[in-house]
Amino acid sequence: MQIHLKAIGCRLNEAELEGWAREFKADGHQVVNDANEADLMVFNSCAVTQQAVRKSRQYIKRIQRDNPTAKIIMSGCYASLNSEEAAGALGVDLVVENKQKDQLVKIATQELNLPVMPQAATEPGESSLFQRGRQRAFIKIQDGCRYRCTFCIVTVARGDERSRTLEEIVAEINDFHQQGIQEIALTGVHVGGYGSDLDSTLYQLLETILRETDMPRIRLASVEPWDLPEHFFELFKNPRLMPHMHLPLQSGTNSVLRRMARRCKTADFKALVEQARATVPNFNITSDIIVGFPGETEQEWQESLAFIQEVGFGHLHIFSYSPRSGTKAATLANPIPEKVKKERSKILHQLAQEMKLKTLAGYVGHQVEVLWEGEGKIQADGKKRYWGYAPNYLRVAIDVDPEQKMSNQITAVTLKSVDLEGECLLAH
Ligand code: SF4
């Protein structure tokens, strides 16, 4: 069969898609990029915000319109929280909830009576990642979370923590390396909780990956800023572990963090960042901030802003709070008017951009190794521009002769200036 796989939302959804692609190919099916060519669609949905819910529904309706004969499987957080609606009103052929998604291909084969033709399976050859224009593989290391941050629906949709075994993860990484992938990002719901159900830890996992694989570049996707083992940052002395962490702070004042039921106070967060910066040169910290959380007074806002400025971040993802039904925060009193949320978001975006450009400017003149991604774009001067990331996840661009192929190459470059428009560094 011709199968099209699509995910929206988090990197974990993307990592799961890659796992299903490999399994379907092993059963002799073909993974296709064009949804209109597919006999079977697999959609990994998202429900982190109301907007994500809308997008999930719209995507299903669109594929039903554009490819009415295709069978549709829906998984992911929206499907898990609204399985009846997905199977009923939306009329998908099969709903696989998050707790069963590791078995999705088996369940689909049984329930939809899919043919299994391992003899037709093609050599893994070119990774379907490359076919989808990607050079970085997301590796799912664990699922679920034991915490209950009051704004978070993910912990509800994905359930308790469960970790993949060290052996499984190492085997998958070595597979990707054999297929030519040079960079991976370890992802999960509560990455710091890896191994809590296996008597293991994230530290042990990273040590094992560094010892038992030759993957040149290893990244961590988003990691909650707690439950990190002692001496954690010592691991980054190995140059294969990229010196960047995305540590969601969410708010810069303890009274709001308390209403969010976050496990990290501002002093703990600051201590963690200082430890990282003291242990590893050029360590880049990025974060998530929610503005306009219920009850956020002007004073709390000012405290939060001051703390964010004091810590300093290479990049910020800024979210205006939107109530998510099914979460505790959606029932909290004193919602912040949209106008005020907009103002605060604007101010924080300005600060975030200042901090980002200051961070970038600090690297002009440095030599770094960049993994170039994507197909490149012809510029006005006829040169082809490629983008990639430095080890500490700063975005870098380079202009080369149009016939030069850079995709999936790692090259050492000198950072010559800041491209204000592209908010990246220019290299030569
Ligand atoms: S730790 Fe993260 S995944 Fe867990 S409840 Fe909080 S925000 Fe959600």
Side-chain angles (χ1 to χ4, degrees):
M1 290 181 84
Q2 311 230 102
I3 302 179
H4 179 73
L5 300 143
K6 167 86 180 173
I8 61 170
C10 64
R11 292 175 166 173
L12 192 50
N13 266 11
E14 181 58 41
E16 288 154 350
L17 217 65
E18 199 43 45
W20 297 331
R22 269 199 312 281
E23 285 182 65
F24 277 123
K25 285 171 94 173
D27 282 356
H29 302 291
Q30 213 195 331
V31 173
V32 292
N33 272 345
D34 184 348
N36 298 327
E37 285 172 18
D39 312 304
L40 174 65
M41 308 281 304
V42 180
F43 177 49
N44 208 358
S45 63
C46 177
V48 74
T49 58
Q50 295 297 12
Q51 196 202 8
V53 167
R54 262 196 310 282
K55 272 195 186 157
S56 295
R57 289 193 185 118
Q58 282 161 1
Y59 183 74
I60 294 292
K61 290 190 181 132
R62 197 171 69 239
I63 46 177
Q64 283 168 332
R65 188 194 62 229
D66 297 350
N67 187 350
T69 57
K71 289 242 180 266
I72 303 175
I73 300 174
M74 196 180 197
S75 189
C77 295
Y78 168 78
S80 304
L81 294 167
N82 311 275
S83 51
E84 274 159 37
E85 186 186 300
L90 277 181
V92 303
D93 299 280
L94 180 63
V95 174
V96 179
E97 297 190 18
N98 281 339
K99 56 181 179 289
Q100 290 183 303
K101 68 189 332 179
D102 293 347
Q103 307 303 312
L104 180 139
V105 175
K106 281 196 191 63
I107 296 169
T109 304
Q110 272 156 21
E111 300 295 322
L112 301 178
N113 206 12
L114 305 183
V116 176
M117 315 145 290
Q119 73 284 2
T122 53
E123 280 306 307
E126 188 187 39
S127 159
S128 62
L129 266 176
F130 291 142
Q131 285 163 349
R132 290 190 290 125
R134 294 176 174 275
Q135 279 72 32
R136 176 181 311 108
F138 294 118
I139 310 287
K140 175 177 180 174
I141 63 170
Q142 66 84 245
D143 205 338
C145 178
R146 77 193 86 158
Y147 299 104
R148 295 287 177 271
C149 301
T150 57
F151 56 81
C152 180
I153 196 69
V154 179
T155 186
V156 180
R158 285 194 173 257
D160 294 335
E161 288 174 30
R162 48 216 189 274
S163 307
R164 297 177 70 202
T165 64
L166 293 174
E167 295 70 27
E168 244 183 301
I169 295 167
V170 165
E172 187 179 334
I173 294 172
N174 284 332
D175 238 13
F176 274 124
H177 191 224
Q178 244 182 0
Q179 293 170 26
I181 294 284
Q182 306 194 79
E183 183 167 303
I184 56 160
L186 306 179
T187 186
V189 175
H190 180 34
V191 167
Y194 175 80
S196 59
D197 54 330
L198 292 179
D199 194 23
S200 179
T201 65
L202 180 61
Y203 193 102
Q204 198 188 346
L205 172 65
L206 288 169
E207 266 189 329
T208 309
I209 293 172
L210 288 167
R211 193 179 53 245
E212 296 180 14
T213 82
D214 295 323
M215 184 57 73
R217 294 163 66 113
I218 299 155
R219 289 189 185 283
L220 286 166
S222 185
V223 180
E224 297 294 358
W226 60 78
D227 283 349
L228 293 174
E230 225 184 313
H231 311 305
F232 179 70
F233 294 106
E234 294 299 319
L235 286 163
F236 288 84
K237 288 192 172 150
N238 184 316
R240 292 168 53 213
L241 194 49
M242 302 290 110
H244 161 245
M245 279 185 78
H246 188 79
L247 299 170
L249 173 65
Q250 305 298 7
S251 173
T253 182
N254 288 336
S255 47
V256 174
L257 289 173
R258 250 192 315 279
R259 292 201 297 280
M260 291 176 166
R262 296 287 285 170
R263 291 307 173 112
C264 181
K265 298 203 171 31
T266 52
D268 313 325
F269 189 90
K270 190 149 176 261
L272 195 66
V273 170
E274 283 170 353
Q275 202 194 350
R277 288 173 175 161
T279 315
V280 190
N282 304 327
F283 201 94
N284 181 19
I285 305 271
T286 56
S287 193
D288 297 339
I289 303 288
I290 297 174
V291 294
F293 191 73
E296 188 182 64
T297 62
E298 181 57 26
Q299 189 194 338
E300 285 175 329
W301 162 241
Q302 292 304 335
E303 278 171 19
S304 187
L305 206 54
F307 180 77
I308 292 165
Q309 187 152 25
E310 184 191 336
V311 172
F313 294 92
H315 182 75
L316 285 181
H317 294 162
I318 300 163
F319 305 90
S320 273
Y321 176 75
S322 68
R324 183 67 188 79
S325 60
T327 63
K328 187 158 174 251
T331 64
L332 289 178
N334 307 322
I336 306 299
E338 283 306 318
K339 187 168 164 295
V340 175
K341 278 195 245 182
K342 262 208 176 81
E343 279 158 20
R344 289 177 184 173
S345 176
K346 193 162 164 248
I347 292 166
L348 189 54
H349 273 95
Q350 262 156 7
L351 172 62
Q353 203 207 17
E354 283 160 25
M355 292 193 293
K356 183 172 191 168
L357 294 179
K358 188 168 159 240
T359 303
L360 293 174
Y363 287 89
V364 172
H366 283 225
Q367 270 236 331
V368 293
E369 288 205 333
V370 174
L371 168 65
W372 300 106
E373 302 177 29
E375 289 317 307
K377 207 154 155 258
I378 299 293
Q379 305 293 297
D381 62 1
K383 291 265 182 188
K384 185 186 265 188
R385 176 162 288 191
Y386 278 93
W387 283 272
Y389 289 91
N392 62 357
Y393 212 56
L394 297 183
R395 196 161 158 72
V396 180
I398 192 164
D399 295 338
V400 296
D401 296 336
E403 62 288 344
Q404 205 173 333
K405 294 246 174 296
M406 300 282 284
S407 193
N408 202 35
Q409 307 288 320
I410 298 177
T411 63
V413 293
T414 303
L415 304 173
K416 64 178 182 185
S417 61
V418 175
D419 176 340
L420 294 175
E421 204 193 314
E423 291 194 2
C424 66
L425 283 146
L426 282 180
H428 63 90

